[in-house]
Amino acid sequence: TRLFCRRHNKQLLAWGIVFCVGAVVATGGLLFKKMSDGRQEELQTTIEELSKQNEELATVQAPSVQEEALPAEPIFALQNTPEKLQVSSGGSVLIAVIDDEFVAYKLNGMEVALPSMNIEPMEAAFALSTSGTQAVFVSKNAYIVQLGFTPPTKEIVEISETPRMVSIEDNVLALISPNGALEILSDGNKLKPATSTTGDFNVVIVDSRGEQIYAATDNWLYMWNVEDFPKNGSKLNCVVDPIFIGSSQQKIVVADQNGTLLVYAAHSPHSTSKLTTTIQLETTILQCALNRDATEFAYVSGEKAFVCNVETGESEEVTWMPNIPIGVAYSANSRLVLWTAEGEFYKSER
């Protein structure tokens, strides 16, 4: 009996141990399953949050990174620094005084032949037509030169004194004399001069077709048809101290050095709808130009070049110019042309 009980107790103990081990294993399995389920839920929640964040990021537009423009290379450079320089308003031809001699070039670097002239370059006034096909050199005499011919042709016109300013288009020559009067020569014929009751003329241009004369005194703009000059002129209020007149078939633009632009309709300049635009400047305008359709006004101010919307006056600095500009013009396709005091020329890509 005692042996039976001992064996029976051993069996009970063994089954007890088996039961305990099974219970521990079962409990551990349940606990592990619960922990696994919790961990899985946490991972699922994290995945859902990350997916939501990715969706939100996908809707946010990445900031555009503008590539920094490389400095422009000069399209042409004079061999020596010019003492005086003029560029056609169409931006295609230049005339310079270098070593006390006149030289002329196209902006592609091709030299343009000039005739012999009995004139002192440093004392002369000179100008180019918009297209660069005509030039005038004026001191005591005026030489009207047709460029692009071999040899170039010239016509000599007698002038009493070196003018303050000169403009030429289509064989029409306009000059402001030292006493502030306006003189016109059309096809070599000297017309009667015009004087103003509002003061000396400061600036004059002939329009690109050689049909209209625009001249300005302080506060006043005068206009004539060439065939009527000096009769039948028109007079309009303009800026106080005009330094520039530009025109297109649609507009006439007058500017002063402080950034005030007056814009007139070319076909009805007396209209009260003329536009006054003011450019915000840090310093005065040194030199300026108007594009072909008179929508953009480019200027040099404070050793920088700017392009201005004629209607709004909003200006944008020209940042691709690597050197200090002193002059600006527009090419026939409205590309911007800039140049330096050393005679380096640059052109915008568009």
Side-chain angles (χ1 to χ4, degrees), residues 169-202:
E169 295 286 352
D170 197 22
N171 293 317
V172 177
L173 176 62
L175 311 97
I176 298 177
S177 67
N179 62 6
L182 183 61
E183 298 181 9
I184 303 296
L185 293 91
S186 178
D187 292 322
N189 299 314
K190 187 181 294 187
L191 306 180
K192 184 178 179 180
T195 57
S196 167
T197 58
T198 59
D200 292 354
F201 287 104
N202 300 326

PDB file of all heavy atoms in Angstrom, residues 169-202:
ATOM      1  N   GLU A 169      17.362 110.836 -90.021  1.00  0.00           N
ATOM      2  CA  GLU A 169      16.556 109.714 -90.495  1.00  0.00           C
ATOM      3  C   GLU A 169      16.146 109.997 -91.927  1.00  0.00           C
ATOM      4  O   GLU A 169      15.609 111.064 -92.228  1.00  0.00           O
ATOM      5  CB  GLU A 169      15.285 109.501 -89.655  1.00  0.00           C
ATOM      6  CG  GLU A 169      15.518 109.093 -88.215  1.00  0.00           C
ATOM      7  CD  GLU A 169      15.964 107.644 -88.053  1.00  0.00           C
ATOM      8  OE1 GLU A 169      15.954 106.893 -89.059  1.00  0.00           O
ATOM      9  OE2 GLU A 169      16.313 107.261 -86.915  1.00  0.00           O
ATOM     10  N   ASP A 170      16.411 109.063 -92.825  1.00  0.00           N
ATOM     11  CA  ASP A 170      15.919 109.124 -94.192  1.00  0.00           C
ATOM     12  C   ASP A 170      16.209 110.477 -94.854  1.00  0.00           C
ATOM     13  O   ASP A 170      15.325 111.116 -95.420  1.00  0.00           O
ATOM     14  CB  ASP A 170      14.410 108.826 -94.216  1.00  0.00           C
ATOM     15  CG  ASP A 170      13.926 108.478 -95.612  1.00  0.00           C
ATOM     16  OD1 ASP A 170      14.753 108.064 -96.459  1.00  0.00           O
ATOM     17  OD2 ASP A 170      12.712 108.631 -95.862  1.00  0.00           O
ATOM     18  N   ASN A 171      17.483 110.918 -94.767  1.00  0.00           N
ATOM     19  CA  ASN A 171      17.950 112.170 -95.380  1.00  0.00           C
ATOM     20  C   ASN A 171      17.332 113.424 -94.775  1.00  0.00           C
ATOM     21  O   ASN A 171      17.400 114.501 -95.377  1.00  0.00           O
ATOM     22  CB  ASN A 171      17.714 112.165 -96.894  1.00  0.00           C
ATOM     23  CG  ASN A 171      18.570 111.131 -97.597  1.00  0.00           C
ATOM     24  OD1 ASN A 171      19.751 110.975 -97.291  1.00  0.00           O
ATOM     25  ND2 ASN A 171      17.970 110.409 -98.538  1.00  0.00           N
ATOM     26  N   VAL A 172      16.726 113.289 -93.612  1.00  0.00           N
ATOM     27  CA  VAL A 172      16.230 114.457 -92.880  1.00  0.00           C
ATOM     28  C   VAL A 172      17.130 114.659 -91.675  1.00  0.00           C
ATOM     29  O   VAL A 172      17.284 113.764 -90.839  1.00  0.00           O
ATOM     30  CB  VAL A 172      14.776 114.279 -92.434  1.00  0.00           C
ATOM     31  CG1 VAL A 172      14.319 115.488 -91.605  1.00  0.00           C
ATOM     32  CG2 VAL A 172      13.864 114.089 -93.644  1.00  0.00           C
ATOM     33  N   LEU A 173      17.730 115.845 -91.603  1.00  0.00           N
ATOM     34  CA  LEU A 173      18.688 116.164 -90.547  1.00  0.00           C
ATOM     35  C   LEU A 173      18.113 117.247 -89.646  1.00  0.00           C
ATOM     36  O   LEU A 173      17.643 118.279 -90.125  1.00  0.00           O
ATOM     37  CB  LEU A 173      19.998 116.647 -91.179  1.00  0.00           C
ATOM     38  CG  LEU A 173      21.113 117.112 -90.251  1.00  0.00           C
ATOM     39  CD1 LEU A 173      21.580 115.975 -89.358  1.00  0.00           C
ATOM     40  CD2 LEU A 173      22.269 117.688 -91.065  1.00  0.00           C
ATOM     41  N   ALA A 174      18.124 116.998 -88.339  1.00  0.00           N
ATOM     42  CA  ALA A 174      17.648 117.979 -87.360  1.00  0.00           C
ATOM     43  C   ALA A 174      18.784 118.334 -86.420  1.00  0.00           C
ATOM     44  O   ALA A 174      19.505 117.450 -85.936  1.00  0.00           O
ATOM     45  CB  ALA A 174      16.468 117.420 -86.578  1.00  0.00           C
ATOM     46  N   LEU A 175      18.967 119.633 -86.162  1.00  0.00           N
ATOM     47  CA  LEU A 175      20.045 120.099 -85.301  1.00  0.00           C
ATOM     48  C   LEU A 175      19.522 121.145 -84.319  1.00  0.00           C
ATOM     49  O   LEU A 175      18.648 121.947 -84.668  1.00  0.00           O
ATOM     50  CB  LEU A 175      21.182 120.734 -86.113  1.00  0.00           C
ATOM     51  CG  LEU A 175      21.746 119.985 -87.311  1.00  0.00           C
ATOM     52  CD1 LEU A 175      21.085 120.485 -88.592  1.00  0.00           C
ATOM     53  CD2 LEU A 175      23.254 120.195 -87.395  1.00  0.00           C
ATOM     54  N   ILE A 176      20.078 121.121 -83.123  1.00  0.00           N
ATOM     55  CA  ILE A 176      19.840 122.203 -82.172  1.00  0.00           C
ATOM     56  C   ILE A 176      21.099 123.052 -82.139  1.00  0.00           C
ATOM     57  O   ILE A 176      22.189 122.578 -81.784  1.00  0.00           O
ATOM     58  CB  ILE A 176      19.522 121.670 -80.760  1.00  0.00           C
ATOM     59  CG1 ILE A 176      18.238 120.839 -80.792  1.00  0.00           C
ATOM     60  CG2 ILE A 176      19.371 122.826 -79.775  1.00  0.00           C
ATOM     61  CD1 ILE A 176      17.882 120.202 -79.460  1.00  0.00           C
ATOM     62  N   SER A 177      20.970 124.308 -82.541  1.00  0.00           N
ATOM     63  CA  SER A 177      22.129 125.200 -82.648  1.00  0.00           C
ATOM     64  C   SER A 177      22.599 125.631 -81.257  1.00  0.00           C
ATOM     65  O   SER A 177      21.876 125.456 -80.269  1.00  0.00           O
ATOM     66  CB  SER A 177      21.760 126.423 -83.486  1.00  0.00           C
ATOM     67  OG  SER A 177      20.806 127.215 -82.785  1.00  0.00           O
ATOM     68  N   PRO A 178      23.804 126.199 -81.162  1.00  0.00           N
ATOM     69  CA  PRO A 178      24.304 126.647 -79.849  1.00  0.00           C
ATOM     70  C   PRO A 178      23.389 127.650 -79.161  1.00  0.00           C
ATOM     71  O   PRO A 178      23.395 127.741 -77.924  1.00  0.00           O
ATOM     72  CB  PRO A 178      25.661 127.265 -80.192  1.00  0.00           C
ATOM     73  CG  PRO A 178      26.099 126.566 -81.435  1.00  0.00           C
ATOM     74  CD  PRO A 178      24.843 126.338 -82.218  1.00  0.00           C
ATOM     75  N   ASN A 179      22.609 128.401 -79.931  1.00  0.00           N
ATOM     76  CA  ASN A 179      21.703 129.378 -79.304  1.00  0.00           C
ATOM     77  C   ASN A 179      20.326 128.789 -78.992  1.00  0.00           C
ATOM     78  O   ASN A 179      19.404 129.517 -78.617  1.00  0.00           O
ATOM     79  CB  ASN A 179      21.560 130.626 -80.175  1.00  0.00           C
ATOM     80  CG  ASN A 179      20.940 130.323 -81.537  1.00  0.00           C
ATOM     81  OD1 ASN A 179      20.507 129.193 -81.799  1.00  0.00           O
ATOM     82  ND2 ASN A 179      20.909 131.321 -82.415  1.00  0.00           N
ATOM     83  N   GLY A 180      20.176 127.449 -79.145  1.00  0.00           N
ATOM     84  CA  GLY A 180      18.924 126.792 -78.764  1.00  0.00           C
ATOM     85  C   GLY A 180      17.860 126.760 -79.835  1.00  0.00           C
ATOM     86  O   GLY A 180      16.738 126.291 -79.573  1.00  0.00           O
ATOM     87  N   ALA A 181      18.164 127.225 -81.060  1.00  0.00           N
ATOM     88  CA  ALA A 181      17.180 127.172 -82.152  1.00  0.00           C
ATOM     89  C   ALA A 181      17.224 125.801 -82.825  1.00  0.00           C
ATOM     90  O   ALA A 181      18.200 125.052 -82.720  1.00  0.00           O
ATOM     91  CB  ALA A 181      17.476 128.277 -83.165  1.00  0.00           C
ATOM     92  N   LEU A 182      16.153 125.497 -83.537  1.00  0.00           N
ATOM     93  CA  LEU A 182      16.031 124.205 -84.219  1.00  0.00           C
ATOM     94  C   LEU A 182      16.177 124.410 -85.713  1.00  0.00           C
ATOM     95  O   LEU A 182      15.480 125.233 -86.323  1.00  0.00           O
ATOM     96  CB  LEU A 182      14.664 123.596 -83.903  1.00  0.00           C
ATOM     97  CG  LEU A 182      14.370 122.203 -84.458  1.00  0.00           C
ATOM     98  CD1 LEU A 182      15.355 121.171 -83.929  1.00  0.00           C
ATOM     99  CD2 LEU A 182      12.937 121.798 -84.110  1.00  0.00           C
ATOM    100  N   GLU A 183      17.113 123.661 -86.322  1.00  0.00           N
ATOM    101  CA  GLU A 183      17.348 123.754 -87.755  1.00  0.00           C
ATOM    102  C   GLU A 183      17.096 122.391 -88.397  1.00  0.00           C
ATOM    103  O   GLU A 183      17.483 121.364 -87.855  1.00  0.00           O
ATOM    104  CB  GLU A 183      18.788 124.208 -88.029  1.00  0.00           C
ATOM    105  CG  GLU A 183      19.114 125.588 -87.476  1.00  0.00           C
ATOM    106  CD  GLU A 183      20.541 126.019 -87.784  1.00  0.00           C
ATOM    107  OE1 GLU A 183      21.211 125.303 -88.568  1.00  0.00           O
ATOM    108  OE2 GLU A 183      20.996 127.042 -87.245  1.00  0.00           O
ATOM    109  N   ILE A 184      16.477 122.439 -89.586  1.00  0.00           N
ATOM    110  CA  ILE A 184      16.129 121.207 -90.299  1.00  0.00           C
ATOM    111  C   ILE A 184      16.688 121.273 -91.718  1.00  0.00           C
ATOM    112  O   ILE A 184      16.564 122.294 -92.403  1.00  0.00           O
ATOM    113  CB  ILE A 184      14.592 120.998 -90.365  1.00  0.00           C
ATOM    114  CG1 ILE A 184      13.994 120.990 -88.951  1.00  0.00           C
ATOM    115  CG2 ILE A 184      14.259 119.704 -91.095  1.00  0.00           C
ATOM    116  CD1 ILE A 184      14.462 119.857 -88.071  1.00  0.00           C
ATOM    117  N   LEU A 185      17.292 120.172 -92.166  1.00  0.00           N
ATOM    118  CA  LEU A 185      17.709 120.021 -93.563  1.00  0.00           C
ATOM    119  C   LEU A 185      17.027 118.775 -94.110  1.00  0.00           C
ATOM    120  O   LEU A 185      17.125 117.699 -93.521  1.00  0.00           O
ATOM    121  CB  LEU A 185      19.226 119.879 -93.686  1.00  0.00           C
ATOM    122  CG  LEU A 185      20.069 121.105 -93.322  1.00  0.00           C
ATOM    123  CD1 LEU A 185      20.447 121.077 -91.841  1.00  0.00           C
ATOM    124  CD2 LEU A 185      21.319 121.154 -94.180  1.00  0.00           C
ATOM    125  N   SER A 186      16.327 118.938 -95.208  1.00  0.00           N
ATOM    126  CA  SER A 186      15.622 117.813 -95.830  1.00  0.00           C
ATOM    127  C   SER A 186      16.151 117.621 -97.240  1.00  0.00           C
ATOM    128  O   SER A 186      16.060 118.533 -98.073  1.00  0.00           O
ATOM    129  CB  SER A 186      14.111 118.096 -95.853  1.00  0.00           C
ATOM    130  OG  SER A 186      13.410 117.047 -96.479  1.00  0.00           O
ATOM    131  N   ASP A 187      16.733 116.431 -97.499  1.00  0.00           N
ATOM    132  CA  ASP A 187      17.352 116.123 -98.791  1.00  0.00           C
ATOM    133  C   ASP A 187      18.363 117.196 -99.182  1.00  0.00           C
ATOM    134  O   ASP A 187      18.451 117.606-100.346  1.00  0.00           O
ATOM    135  CB  ASP A 187      16.278 115.975 -99.871  1.00  0.00           C
ATOM    136  CG  ASP A 187      15.423 114.739 -99.657  1.00  0.00           C
ATOM    137  OD1 ASP A 187      15.979 113.705 -99.242  1.00  0.00           O
ATOM    138  OD2 ASP A 187      14.203 114.820 -99.885  1.00  0.00           O
ATOM    139  N   GLY A 188      19.107 117.690 -98.212  1.00  0.00           N
ATOM    140  CA  GLY A 188      20.156 118.676 -98.461  1.00  0.00           C
ATOM    141  C   GLY A 188      19.686 120.102 -98.491  1.00  0.00           C
ATOM    142  O   GLY A 188      20.505 121.026 -98.589  1.00  0.00           O
ATOM    143  N   ASN A 189      18.386 120.327 -98.412  1.00  0.00           N
ATOM    144  CA  ASN A 189      17.840 121.685 -98.450  1.00  0.00           C
ATOM    145  C   ASN A 189      17.615 122.202 -97.031  1.00  0.00           C
ATOM    146  O   ASN A 189      16.898 121.569 -96.236  1.00  0.00           O
ATOM    147  CB  ASN A 189      16.513 121.706 -99.222  1.00  0.00           C
ATOM    148  CG  ASN A 189      16.685 121.261-100.652  1.00  0.00           C
ATOM    149  OD1 ASN A 189      17.607 121.702-101.345  1.00  0.00           O
ATOM    150  ND2 ASN A 189      15.800 120.373-101.117  1.00  0.00           N
ATOM    151  N   LYS A 190      18.237 123.336 -96.746  1.00  0.00           N
ATOM    152  CA  LYS A 190      18.096 123.906 -95.414  1.00  0.00           C
ATOM    153  C   LYS A 190      16.779 124.647 -95.308  1.00  0.00           C
ATOM    154  O   LYS A 190      16.467 125.532 -96.111  1.00  0.00           O
ATOM    155  CB  LYS A 190      19.260 124.844 -95.115  1.00  0.00           C
ATOM    156  CG  LYS A 190      19.277 125.363 -93.682  1.00  0.00           C
ATOM    157  CD  LYS A 190      20.446 126.305 -93.432  1.00  0.00           C
ATOM    158  CE  LYS A 190      21.768 125.588 -93.530  1.00  0.00           C
ATOM    159  NZ  LYS A 190      22.896 126.478 -93.113  1.00  0.00           N
ATOM    160  N   LEU A 191      15.979 124.256 -94.302  1.00  0.00           N
ATOM    161  CA  LEU A 191      14.694 124.900 -94.082  1.00  0.00           C
ATOM    162  C   LEU A 191      14.855 126.042 -93.086  1.00  0.00           C
ATOM    163  O   LEU A 191      15.861 126.125 -92.357  1.00  0.00           O
ATOM    164  CB  LEU A 191      13.677 123.875 -93.557  1.00  0.00           C
ATOM    165  CG  LEU A 191      13.511 122.604 -94.406  1.00  0.00           C
ATOM    166  CD1 LEU A 191      12.480 121.679 -93.776  1.00  0.00           C
ATOM    167  CD2 LEU A 191      13.095 122.958 -95.836  1.00  0.00           C
ATOM    168  N   LYS A 192      13.864 126.917 -93.047  1.00  0.00           N
ATOM    169  CA  LYS A 192      13.912 128.042 -92.128  1.00  0.00           C
ATOM    170  C   LYS A 192      13.934 127.522 -90.689  1.00  0.00           C
ATOM    171  O   LYS A 192      13.176 126.627 -90.335  1.00  0.00           O
ATOM    172  CB  LYS A 192      12.684 128.939 -92.349  1.00  0.00           C
ATOM    173  CG  LYS A 192      12.697 130.205 -91.505  1.00  0.00           C
ATOM    174  CD  LYS A 192      11.471 131.053 -91.812  1.00  0.00           C
ATOM    175  CE  LYS A 192      11.475 132.313 -90.950  1.00  0.00           C
ATOM    176  NZ  LYS A 192      10.293 133.169 -91.218  1.00  0.00           N
ATOM    177  N   PRO A 193      14.831 128.043 -89.827  1.00  0.00           N
ATOM    178  CA  PRO A 193      14.906 127.540 -88.451  1.00  0.00           C
ATOM    179  C   PRO A 193      13.670 127.915 -87.637  1.00  0.00           C
ATOM    180  O   PRO A 193      12.927 128.835 -87.983  1.00  0.00           O
ATOM    181  CB  PRO A 193      16.169 128.210 -87.898  1.00  0.00           C
ATOM    182  CG  PRO A 193      16.321 129.445 -88.718  1.00  0.00           C
ATOM    183  CD  PRO A 193      15.823 129.095 -90.085  1.00  0.00           C
ATOM    184  N   ALA A 194      13.495 127.178 -86.564  1.00  0.00           N
ATOM    185  CA  ALA A 194      12.386 127.443 -85.638  1.00  0.00           C
ATOM    186  C   ALA A 194      12.953 127.791 -84.274  1.00  0.00           C
ATOM    187  O   ALA A 194      13.915 127.179 -83.809  1.00  0.00           O
ATOM    188  CB  ALA A 194      11.479 126.228 -85.532  1.00  0.00           C
ATOM    189  N   THR A 195      12.375 128.789 -83.652  1.00  0.00           N
ATOM    190  CA  THR A 195      12.725 129.142 -82.281  1.00  0.00           C
ATOM    191  C   THR A 195      11.498 128.951 -81.406  1.00  0.00           C
ATOM    192  O   THR A 195      10.377 128.791 -81.898  1.00  0.00           O
ATOM    193  CB  THR A 195      13.215 130.596 -82.185  1.00  0.00           C
ATOM    194  OG1 THR A 195      12.191 131.468 -82.710  1.00  0.00           O
ATOM    195  CG2 THR A 195      14.490 130.793 -82.967  1.00  0.00           C
ATOM    196  N   SER A 196      11.714 128.968 -80.124  1.00  0.00           N
ATOM    197  CA  SER A 196      10.619 128.712 -79.192  1.00  0.00           C
ATOM    198  C   SER A 196      10.433 129.882 -78.244  1.00  0.00           C
ATOM    199  O   SER A 196      11.415 130.497 -77.807  1.00  0.00           O
ATOM    200  CB  SER A 196      10.915 127.432 -78.395  1.00  0.00           C
ATOM    201  OG  SER A 196      10.044 127.316 -77.294  1.00  0.00           O
ATOM    202  N   THR A 197       9.189 130.152 -77.907  1.00  0.00           N
ATOM    203  CA  THR A 197       8.881 131.184 -76.916  1.00  0.00           C
ATOM    204  C   THR A 197       8.958 130.625 -75.498  1.00  0.00           C
ATOM    205  O   THR A 197       8.805 131.371 -74.529  1.00  0.00           O
ATOM    206  CB  THR A 197       7.469 131.743 -77.150  1.00  0.00           C
ATOM    207  OG1 THR A 197       6.519 130.670 -77.077  1.00  0.00           O
ATOM    208  CG2 THR A 197       7.375 132.424 -78.502  1.00  0.00           C
ATOM    209  N   THR A 198       9.214 129.305 -75.379  1.00  0.00           N
ATOM    210  CA  THR A 198       9.261 128.664 -74.059  1.00  0.00           C
ATOM    211  C   THR A 198      10.688 128.321 -73.644  1.00  0.00           C
ATOM    212  O   THR A 198      10.897 127.568 -72.691  1.00  0.00           O
ATOM    213  CB  THR A 198       8.403 127.388 -74.049  1.00  0.00           C
ATOM    214  OG1 THR A 198       8.885 126.482 -75.046  1.00  0.00           O
ATOM    215  CG2 THR A 198       6.951 127.712 -74.328  1.00  0.00           C
ATOM    216  N   GLY A 199      11.683 128.847 -74.357  1.00  0.00           N
ATOM    217  CA  GLY A 199      13.067 128.582 -73.987  1.00  0.00           C
ATOM    218  C   GLY A 199      13.813 127.807 -75.052  1.00  0.00           C
ATOM    219  O   GLY A 199      13.277 127.498 -76.122  1.00  0.00           O
ATOM    220  N   ASP A 200      15.051 127.477 -74.781  1.00  0.00           N
ATOM    221  CA  ASP A 200      15.880 126.739 -75.732  1.00  0.00           C
ATOM    222  C   ASP A 200      15.378 125.308 -75.895  1.00  0.00           C
ATOM    223  O   ASP A 200      14.880 124.690 -74.946  1.00  0.00           O
ATOM    224  CB  ASP A 200      17.334 126.684 -75.253  1.00  0.00           C
ATOM    225  CG  ASP A 200      18.003 128.041 -75.279  1.00  0.00           C
ATOM    226  OD1 ASP A 200      17.381 129.007 -75.765  1.00  0.00           O
ATOM    227  OD2 ASP A 200      19.155 128.132 -74.801  1.00  0.00           O
ATOM    228  N   PHE A 201      15.559 124.783 -77.101  1.00  0.00           N
ATOM    229  CA  PHE A 201      15.292 123.367 -77.316  1.00  0.00           C
ATOM    230  C   PHE A 201      16.407 122.552 -76.662  1.00  0.00           C
ATOM    231  O   PHE A 201      17.599 122.856 -76.811  1.00  0.00           O
ATOM    232  CB  PHE A 201      15.204 123.054 -78.807  1.00  0.00           C
ATOM    233  CG  PHE A 201      13.952 123.561 -79.451  1.00  0.00           C
ATOM    234  CD1 PHE A 201      13.974 124.706 -80.261  1.00  0.00           C
ATOM    235  CD2 PHE A 201      12.744 122.918 -79.260  1.00  0.00           C
ATOM    236  CE1 PHE A 201      12.821 125.182 -80.857  1.00  0.00           C
ATOM    237  CE2 PHE A 201      11.568 123.385 -79.844  1.00  0.00           C
ATOM    238  CZ  PHE A 201      11.615 124.524 -80.644  1.00  0.00           C
ATOM    239  N   ASN A 202      16.007 121.503 -75.920  1.00  0.00           N
ATOM    240  CA  ASN A 202      16.972 120.645 -75.227  1.00  0.00           C
ATOM    241  C   ASN A 202      17.253 119.340 -75.970  1.00  0.00           C
ATOM    242  O   ASN A 202      18.358 118.793 -75.873  1.00  0.00           O
ATOM    243  CB  ASN A 202      16.451 120.285 -73.829  1.00  0.00           C
ATOM    244  CG  ASN A 202      16.225 121.499 -72.968  1.00  0.00           C
ATOM    245  OD1 ASN A 202      16.958 122.482 -73.076  1.00  0.00           O
ATOM    246  ND2 ASN A 202      15.213 121.452 -72.113  1.00  0.00           N
TER     247      ASN A 202
END
